[in-house]
Amino acid sequence: MAGSPKISVVMSVLNGSKYMDKGIQSIIDQSFSDWEFIICDDGSNDETWQKLLNYAKEDSRIIPIKNEKNMGLAYSLNKCIRIARSNILARQDADDESDPKRFEIQYPYIVSHPEYAIVGTSWYNIDETGYKWETHPLADPIAKDLIWDGGFMHPSWMMYKDQLSKVGYYTEGELTRRDQDYHLVLKLYGAGMKMHNMNNVLY
């Protein structure tokens, strides 16, 4: 759409006032700056909403929205997606960080590979001692690969909004409250779509 940002970042947060700053800042610090950041407060009862409003005052690209009660991740992400102005969506979790060059590297890749509905990345794991190690998933997992490890790192995804719309976005409900990403992948595979993991460690 004319005048729309190239990327719409979507995130949900619940009672995240003490831990979400690094995740939000990792998007603000991206070397690729043409984005909007839609953040849904999923019924928090701490200072999350006020902090989101403060971020929005400092950066007009940040768009806070709010659920009056906790509705779950699938509902909240769908709410963000429906108001997203770009056809390219990026996920971010409130308690994780993106590499500063994530969008600079991932966006051109997904744009040049429209055959993939979703493109994920490799990632760092960090334990409680600060020890860090890389995880490189299969580049092109098939459905049976998901049985062992899920195949993808959900919050590292970039996605085509119009492709996700064909399967109804995330499935909302109690049965998918904790596994909405896994279920979405199965829906996409079932519809004949493809997904891919980049070897770059960007999350």
Side-chain angles (χ1 to χ4, degrees), residues 1-202:
M1 293 176 285
S4 300
K6 287 189 168 71
I7 301 170
S8 292
V9 189
V10 295
M11 187 179 91
S12 174
V13 59
L14 174 64
N15 294 329
S17 63
K18 294 182 179 179
Y19 64 81
M20 66 184 184
D21 294 302
K22 286 186 177 180
I24 294 173
Q25 193 63 45
S26 76
I27 300 300
I28 295 172
D29 291 341
Q30 288 293 304
S31 57
F32 184 105
S33 60
D34 191 0
W35 47 261
E36 65 179 357
F37 193 1
I38 307 165
I39 308 174
C40 182
D41 177 352
D42 189 17
S44 298
N45 54 24
D46 64 357
E47 299 302 314
T48 293
W49 181 241
Q50 186 56 54
K51 291 192 73 171
L52 292 179
L53 293 177
N54 291 340
Y55 272 112
K57 289 178 183 178
E58 295 294 324
D59 193 324
S60 62
R61 297 172 297 176
I62 295 176
I63 304 166
I65 60 176
K66 185 177 177 63
N67 297 331
E68 293 306 317
K69 63 178 182 179
N70 179 245
M71 299 297 293
L73 185 57
Y75 177 94
S76 300
L77 291 179
N78 284 345
K79 188 172 182 177
C80 293
I81 290 170
R82 290 188 176 102
I83 67 172
R85 293 183 293 153
S86 175
N87 192 41
I88 301 294
L89 309 170
R91 280 279 289 112
Q92 174 69 36
D93 269 354
D95 56 350
D96 296 334
E97 296 177 60
S98 287
D99 183 274
K101 291 186 178 293
R102 176 189 167 192
F103 292 173
E104 179 183 333
I105 296 170
Q106 193 177 14
Y107 176 79
Y109 188 89
I110 193 171
V111 169
S112 63
H113 292 83
E115 69 272 23
Y116 297 127
I118 293 178
V119 171
T121 76
S122 299
W123 62 91
Y124 286 112
N125 299 280
I126 306 175
D127 69 15
E128 63 276 2
T129 70
Y131 177 72
K132 182 166 68 172
W133 68 99
E134 296 181 5
T135 297
H136 295 269
L138 292 173
D140 298 292
I142 59 177
K144 71 177 182 180
D145 294 322
L146 274 61
I147 295 170
W148 305 110
D149 62 4
F152 301 91
M153 171 62 78
H154 179 208
S156 78
W157 289 354
M158 274 194 180
M159 314 174 279
Y160 278 100
K161 180 177 178 177
D162 58 355
Q163 297 302 305
L164 269 60
S165 70
K166 295 177 182 178
V167 297
Y169 305 121
Y170 293 91
T171 300
E172 301 169 21
E174 287 303 314
L175 293 178
T176 56
R177 194 171 179 89
R178 293 184 59 84
D179 299 302
Q180 65 292 125
D181 53 336
Y182 187 91
H183 193 260
L184 177 59
V185 171
L186 293 178
K187 291 199 297 182
L188 292 171
Y189 280 164
M193 299 184 206
K194 297 179 180 180
M195 297 179 59
H196 178 75
N197 283 312
M198 301 175 67
N199 193 48
N200 308 69
V201 182
L202 299 175

